[in-house]
Amino acid sequence: MEKVDGLQFLIDYENVHEQGFEGMENLYQTDSVSIFYSECCKNISRQVMNYILSSGCFFYTFKLKKGGKNALDFYIVSRVGEMIGAGYEGQIVIVSRDKGYSAARDYWFTCGIPYNRIILSASVKEGILASNENSLRRRKIVADAETVCLDTEYARYEERAHIKDRLITVFRGTEYEEELPKICEVADGKQSPKELYLSSIKEFGKADGTKIYRYLKNAAG
C-alpha cells in the first residue's frame, strides 16, 4: 500500500451516490480516495473525476465481484483492517450513511485504535470537517458554513456598488479604464491610505501603482 500522509476516504458509492462526493474539490495530493461500487452503480460525473485527477491524490477503485446483502460493506471493513494492519496511523473516513460501520469502529477501539481515527460521514466534505485537521481547507469549509446577517451583508453590497460607481466615473477615459476590475479588487476593504498605496504598488508596479493610487485617493476625497 502507498504511503499516505493525508486522509483516507473510503466511499460506499452504492450508499451515498453523487452526494457523497460533495467536497471533492478540497482534496489534497496527500489524500487517498477509494471508491467501492458495483456493476449497477458504476458511472460518476466527469467533474468528480476531474477533482480526483487534478488533486494528484492516490486513487483506487474496488468493484464488487459478486452481489449480496451488505457485500460492499464487507469490502470496506476489510480494507480498513488492511490499512491498519499495514501500519497506517492517520485518519480513515468511511463515506456512507450506513450506521452499521459504527460496529467496525467499536471493534478497532477495543484494539487500541481511538474513535477519531475512523470517521463516519455522509460526504467527503463532512469527513474533512470531522477530522479536526489543522488545514486551510477545513478552515475554509467552516467559514463557508457560517451564518451571516442579511442586513449587514446587504449594506456591504451597497457600499461596494457605490464605490464601484465612483471608480467607474474617476477612471473613465484614463489609460487604466480597462484595469477597472483589478482596481476595484484593490480598493475593496482598504481603509488606510498606506494600505491602499501598498496594494496598488503590489498589483500594478511602482509607476502605474502610484498613479492609480492618486486616482483612488481623489475618488475617496
Side-chain angles (χ1 to χ4, degrees):
M1 188 175 72
E2 300 284 355
K3 185 178 185 301
V4 177
D5 295 320
L7 297 175
Q8 289 264 12
F9 295 98
L10 309 185
I11 301 174
D12 185 351
Y13 189 33
E14 272 196 342
N15 181 274
V16 294
H17 304 287
E18 289 283 329
Q19 292 89 342
F21 294 128
E22 182 186 7
M24 292 289 275
E25 69 275 14
N26 298 296
L27 290 175
Y28 283 167
Q29 187 175 3
T30 51
D31 294 327
S32 173
V33 173
S34 298
I35 300 177
F36 295 79
Y37 69 104
S38 64
E39 180 64 25
C40 66
C41 187
K42 64 179 182 180
N43 297 319
I44 65 174
S45 70
R46 170 58 61 185
Q47 184 182 49
V48 169
M49 280 306 308
N50 287 339
Y51 285 144
I52 293 172
L53 297 176
S54 63
S55 73
C57 70
F58 298 102
F59 177 50
Y60 308 93
T61 62
F62 298 89
K63 186 176 182 180
L64 186 64
K65 298 296 182 183
K66 186 177 180 180
K69 186 178 180 180
N70 300 324
L72 277 181
D73 299 6
F74 292 122
Y75 273 39
I76 291 174
V77 168
S78 297
R79 182 63 171 166
V80 171
E82 180 185 6
M83 288 189 293
I84 293 176
Y88 177 66
E89 297 182 351
Q91 290 180 299
I92 299 169
V93 182
I94 299 177
V95 180
S96 176
R97 293 186 179 87
D98 190 337
K99 303 302 181 183
Y101 288 112
S102 61
R105 185 168 60 175
D106 291 342
Y107 167 77
W108 284 111
F109 181 73
T110 65
C111 298
I113 303 298
Y115 270 110
N116 62 2
R117 285 273 309 281
I118 301 177
I119 298 168
L120 309 181
S121 69
S123 69
V124 169
K125 177 182 175 180
E126 290 182 16
I128 294 172
L129 281 173
S131 72
N132 287 322
E133 64 179 13
N134 182 21
S135 65
L136 178 61
R137 64 179 174 184
R138 187 178 182 279
R139 290 193 291 274
K140 182 180 182 301
I141 291 173
V142 170
D144 288 345
E146 290 178 351
T147 58
V148 294
C149 174
L150 278 173
D151 291 340
T152 302
E153 293 304 309
Y154 188 69
R156 288 176 180 172
Y157 165 80
E158 288 188 313
E159 176 64 20
R160 290 190 186 100
H162 176 66
I163 291 173
K164 183 177 180 180
D165 287 342
R166 292 184 65 179
L167 293 180
I168 289 173
T169 300
V170 169
F171 284 93
R172 182 179 292 121
T174 71
E175 59 188 306
Y176 302 110
E177 186 173 5
E178 294 184 359
E179 298 288 350
L180 192 59
K182 289 184 180 179
I183 293 171
C184 288
E185 289 183 12
V186 168
D188 186 28
K190 305 300 185 297
Q191 300 298 320
S192 70
K194 180 179 179 180
E195 187 178 10
L196 188 58
Y197 174 73
L198 292 175
S199 296
S200 300
I201 296 297
K202 181 178 179 181
E203 181 65 37
F204 300 103
K206 187 170 184 180
D208 289 330
T210 300
K211 291 181 183 179
I212 288 172
Y213 167 71
R214 288 171 182 161
Y215 280 115
L216 291 172
K217 191 176 179 181
N218 291 333

